[in-house]
Amino acid sequence: MSLTTNPRTLNHPNRASSPGRPKQTLRDRYGDRAFNIAATTVLLLSILAVVYPLYFIVIASISDPNAVYEGKVWLFPSGVTTEGYERIFADSRIWNGLGNTVIYTVLGTAISVSTILCGAYALSRKDMPGRKILMLLFVITMFFDGGLITKYLVVRDLGMLDTVWAVVLPGAVGVWNLIIARSFFEHTIPNELREAAQMDGATDFKFFFQMVLPLSKPLIMLMIMVHVVAQWNSFFDALIFLNDDSKYPLQLVLRNILIQSDVSSTGTTGGDIESYAAAQRIAELTKYAMIVVSSLPLMIALPFMQKHFTKGAMIGAVK
Amino acid sequence: MSRTIPARRGRPAAAPLPQPKNSLALRLKRISRAWQLYVLLAPAIIYIVVFKYWPMYGVQIAFKNYNPVDGFTDSPWVGLTHFIRFMNSYQFGQVVGNTLWIAVLGLLVAFPIPIILALLVNQLQSERFKKFTQTVLYSPAFISTVVVVGIMFVVLSPRSGLVNNAIQLGGGEPIFFMGSAEWFRPIYVISDVWQNAGFSMIVYLAALAAIDPALHDAAKVDGASKLQRIRHIDLPGIMPVVTILFILAIGNLLNVGFEKALLMQTPLNLSTSEIIQTYVYHAGLQQAQFSYSAAIGLFNSLLNLALLLVFNTIARRANQATLW
């Protein structure tokens, strides 16, 4: 693909002998061409390796479970059925989990993003006394960690077990995100702007909320997305801090169904092997559909989010 | 402010006497003037004190017999008992070995692949194909660990899975991937690459984009091939980023991927899938041996810190970028 759009190899076949490129021999050009072919092949194979399993899950989720079971589904769905999806939509655990996840995601993101933005801005101000020591306080936590057990005991002592707070608070502020936000403020908010605002009598609060935040939309978008994705996908805090399964987020419900193979709601009818095997196949079908449904929201949002994440990687790399 | 200026001018060198009191007052004044900044920082500070430093303070229970009534501070000291018990337990060798195996294998395989991908993508001439490749390769990073492991279970299922169907089509015997100890490590590492390589690639692409194009032009004029330009321009250009990310990866060596290992565990693959952190989870939270498992967790952190220090020193010796 890249070969055909390469003007050097196609449009100017004699360029190698032109005076501007004295040493570009024919052999080198073939070397580059071989490289292009090899690179494109490797990347196409990588794309296939990423896409095919996902594609297979999508077609398997709408195929007759018997056809999937017998290995007849490879490129196209066979014997289209929506039973897997119907079962999901009838499963109250999924809906309940989805509702919890939405609550945890909105609340968690709001807490994390506002704490990080405010804190990072303060730390970005070179005129704040004690800035270096305070920053060190955060950086230390990147290298030393109290560990799982003491974190659990602290959350328990705070009386947060089995509450929303246990899911949204313990991981609220990532130091890495704080550093990214701080270096964004350092690089995009000019000192002169603040001095001018202070001349006009603006307080730090006023300057932060009325000038800095409106100028930091890309950062705010990035932070929101990072936290939405992380919270949407997280299960571990919920696993250790929640006992009450009516509070389980979607990921934990999925784990119990997909991985622990908890088929209680798919109904094992009768005692004979035939119907048990059929129930098993339906359960498999439901799993495929469940993977699709739970990943779809973020996959749809991906093209929209990509721009911001790429920018975020840049900010991180600059640091 | 205005008070200090004449003072400096009038007595350039010989005025040590009023200085301390003055600077203290000055500092207090500067601090009180910045009070709004401290208010902005307060939630984050409260957060790390409660959820980071309090647990860190609680690590002392690794040397104590923790009981909920006495709490972190007043539980009785027992010295290194828990550490000794862990080191003498029959799981010790296995659990530490499994952890190092996964960590090192993961690093050797999963660390270089994003670099290679970035170098290849960077050489693509078609901007559209470049963008497309990037988007596709990094989309799995947005799938949750639970779902990725769920995908493994259905795709690798011995009865109906895609992979075993392919194996049977080729005349082979089906393999119970998720239930066999020897398959745990390959599956763990391959799925890690599958999920994260594309996302890690983005950072390297950003670093590659920052390389001065004039270097490439000059090399082209001198007749350098693409491979030569990658070796002599691109690679040295991204080396600082590579080194820093490598040290960071070492620093997290024993921490990352714990959730996935826990999810991938089945009773049949425990002999390779039980790593230090899953062991801490089982012993600590499921069996409520808080002090014992806190000691194991601390052992893990210290091992990790030691690795970080060693590699940072190596990087410094090799005259590369370091963390500090």
Side-chain angles (χ1 to χ4, degrees):
Chain A
M1 199 177 281
S2 61
L3 268 180
T4 52
T5 53
N6 181 350
R8 201 161 298 130
T9 45
L10 274 183
N11 302 343
H12 307 284
N14 295 324
R15 200 150 177 195
S17 55
S18 73
R21 349 188 113 243
K23 289 177 193 159
Q24 181 92 342
T25 65
L26 215 59
R27 213 193 63 204
D28 289 336
R29 258 188 327 113
Y30 283 119
D32 278 0
R33 185 179 279 199
F35 174 86
N36 282 343
I37 293 171
T40 312
T41 313
V42 169
L43 289 175
L44 284 175
L45 287 177
S46 314
I47 290 172
L48 195 67
V50 166
V51 170
Y52 183 67
L54 298 177
Y55 173 75
F56 173 79
I57 284 172
V58 173
I59 57 173
S61 75
I62 52 171
S63 293
D64 174 14
N66 292 314
V68 178
Y69 186 83
E70 286 153 24
K72 286 180 188 154
V73 176
W74 293 104
L75 288 175
F76 304 103
S78 101
V80 175
T81 167
T82 55
E83 200 179 340
Y85 291 95
E86 282 161 25
R87 277 175 183 270
I88 290 177
F89 290 120
D91 191 334
S92 65
R93 292 174 301 174
I94 301 274
W95 287 106
N96 191 38
L98 189 65
N100 288 335
T101 291
V102 170
I103 295 170
Y104 300 156
T105 303
V106 171
L107 189 66
T109 303
I111 292 173
S112 297
V113 173
S114 50
T115 312
I116 287 172
L117 289 176
C118 294
Y121 174 68
L123 289 169
S124 79
R125 284 278 297 268
K126 296 205 167 68
D127 57 330
M128 183 177 75
R131 167 180 115 109
K132 286 214 168 117
I133 294 168
L134 290 168
M135 192 61 214
L136 191 66
L137 218 54
F138 285 94
V139 173
I140 286 173
T141 65
M142 291 175 90
F143 299 104
F144 300 96
D145 186 71
L148 177 65
I149 302 300
T150 48
K151 186 169 95 172
Y152 172 81
L153 292 174
V154 165
V155 171
R156 198 186 65 175
D157 288 350
L158 288 168
M160 285 181 180
L161 286 189
D162 254 336
T163 67
V164 187
W165 308 113
V167 183
V168 297
L169 287 182
V173 179
V175 177
W176 193 244
N177 289 325
L178 195 78
I179 291 175
I180 288 177
R182 187 189 66 148
S183 67
F184 178 91
F185 288 133
E186 277 172 358
H187 289 113
T188 48
I189 309 295
N191 252 333
E192 293 75 22
L193 188 65
R194 197 191 79 238
E195 278 156 14
Q198 275 174 341
M199 292 283 204
D200 293 341
T203 60
D204 287 328
F205 281 161
K206 209 168 179 187
F207 181 67
F208 176 64
F209 288 110
Q210 295 185 356
M211 304 282 288
V212 175
L213 286 186
L215 284 172
S216 308
K217 278 190 192 125
L219 176 74
I220 298 174
M221 288 307 283
L222 173 72
M223 286 293 145
I224 289 176
M225 282 170 204
V226 167
H227 286 95
V228 165
V229 171
Q231 193 75 50
W232 184 276
N233 284 340
S234 79
F235 82 101
F236 189 68
D237 281 354
L239 174 70
I240 60 176
F241 295 134
L242 300 181
N243 276 320
D244 177 0
D245 52 11
S246 72
K247 296 198 174 90
Y248 282 0
L250 182 63
Q251 295 300 329
L252 203 49
V253 175
L254 288 176
R255 171 207 177 240
N256 292 345
I257 300 173
L258 287 177
I259 297 169
Q260 315 282 70
S261 279
D262 174 7
V263 287
S264 56
S265 81
T266 42
T268 40
T269 45
D272 59 307
I273 293 170
E274 196 104 318
S275 62
Y276 177 73
Q280 278 288 312
R281 287 172 202 190
I282 295 289
E284 292 284 310
L285 177 71
T286 319
K287 286 182 184 178
Y288 289 115
M290 212 170 272
I291 290 170
V292 174
V293 168
S294 64
S295 307
L296 211 57
L298 288 185
M299 286 292 152
I300 289 172
L302 187 61
F304 166 70
M305 297 192 294
Q306 180 175 23
K307 190 176 72 191
H308 298 276
F309 271 103
T310 316
K311 253 185 222 159
M314 308 276 190
I315 302 176
V318 164
K319 192 265 148 191
Chain B
M1 270 303 195
S2 55
R3 212 181 296 156
T4 58
I5 293 167
R8 257 188 222 152
R9 267 188 203 152
R11 285 170 284 181
L17 212 86
Q19 208 65 356
K21 199 184 167 191
N22 209 0
S23 78
L24 183 71
L26 206 79
R27 189 178 288 175
L28 284 175
K29 199 172 171 192
R30 276 176 58 211
I31 289 176
S32 69
R33 199 180 290 160
W35 70 271
Q36 293 188 337
L37 294 178
Y38 294 108
V39 172
L40 287 176
L41 189 59
I45 294 282
I46 293 170
Y47 165 80
I48 57 160
V49 169
V50 173
F51 290 105
K52 297 287 172 184
Y53 284 98
W54 190 4
M56 241 186 255
Y57 172 75
V59 166
Q60 56 181 289
I61 65 168
F63 306 96
K64 291 182 165 181
N65 263 340
Y66 175 81
N67 64 69
V69 183
D70 292 331
F72 291 155
T73 315
D74 296 326
S75 293
W77 291 95
V78 293
L80 294 174
T81 314
H82 300 299
F83 291 91
I84 293 165
R85 186 183 144 204
F86 176 52
M87 285 174 192
N88 288 331
S89 73
Y90 75 95
Q91 288 110 325
F92 177 74
Q94 191 185 49
V95 169
V96 173
N98 285 342
T99 310
L100 291 174
W101 247 108
I102 285 193
V104 172
L105 200 63
L107 195 68
L108 289 181
V109 178
F111 189 79
I113 288 177
I115 303 175
I116 297 168
L117 285 176
L119 291 171
L120 293 182
V121 170
N122 191 47
Q123 290 293 334
L124 292 177
Q125 263 116 2
S126 156
E127 278 302 319
R128 277 176 65 195
F129 185 49
K130 215 172 178 173
K131 264 243 156 70
F132 174 74
T133 312
Q134 234 169 299
T135 311
V136 169
L137 290 188
Y138 101 161
S139 58
F142 293 84
I143 300 174
S144 73
T145 316
V146 171
V147 171
V148 168
V149 177
I151 291 175
M152 288 180 209
F153 272 94
V154 292
V155 166
L156 299 174
S157 156
R159 282 171 287 121
S160 61
L162 174 68
V163 176
N164 274 314
N165 281 339
I167 289 174
Q168 278 168 308
L169 211 65
E173 284 291 306
I175 300 168
F176 188 12
F177 289 100
M178 301 308 286
S180 78
E182 62 265 36
W183 276 101
F184 173 77
R185 284 171 196 148
I187 296 170
Y188 179 92
V189 173
I190 291 168
S191 63
D192 189 31
V193 171
W194 184 83
Q195 188 177 15
N196 296 319
F199 197 76
S200 313
M201 176 184 84
I202 304 289
V203 181
Y204 297 115
L205 278 176
L208 283 168
I211 292 174
D212 186 357
L215 287 175
H216 279 283
D217 291 340
K220 269 186 237 165
V221 170
D222 286 345
S225 72
K226 279 194 167 183
L227 221 50
Q228 284 169 323
R229 279 188 280 131
I230 287 179
R231 197 187 317 147
H232 297 292
I233 300 174
D234 286 348
L235 263 184
I238 61 170
M239 218 46 203
V241 178
V242 171
T243 316
I244 287 179
L245 288 182
F246 186 75
I247 297 172
L248 282 177
I250 298 281
N252 273 320
L253 196 57
L254 305 183
N255 290 328
V256 288
F258 148 64
E259 295 185 0
K260 196 166 82 179
L262 186 68
L263 290 168
M264 284 174 68
Q265 272 183 354
T266 59
L268 296 170
N269 65 17
L270 271 185
S271 66
T272 52
S273 67
E274 185 81 313
I275 59 176
I276 297 178
Q277 286 191 301
T278 55
Y279 186 61
V280 169
Y281 171 74
H282 291 134
L285 296 184
Q286 293 190 326
Q287 298 163 22
Q289 308 179 57
F290 294 126
S291 280
Y292 176 56
S293 51
I296 303 169
L298 184 59
F299 173 84
N300 192 44
S301 302
L302 292 178
L303 199 62
N304 211 350
L305 196 64
L307 283 173
L308 180 68
L309 289 175
V310 168
F311 277 89
N312 199 52
T313 312
I314 293 174
R316 185 177 295 154
R317 290 266 164 79
N319 235 346
Q320 292 287 349
T322 54
L323 280 184
W324 57 82

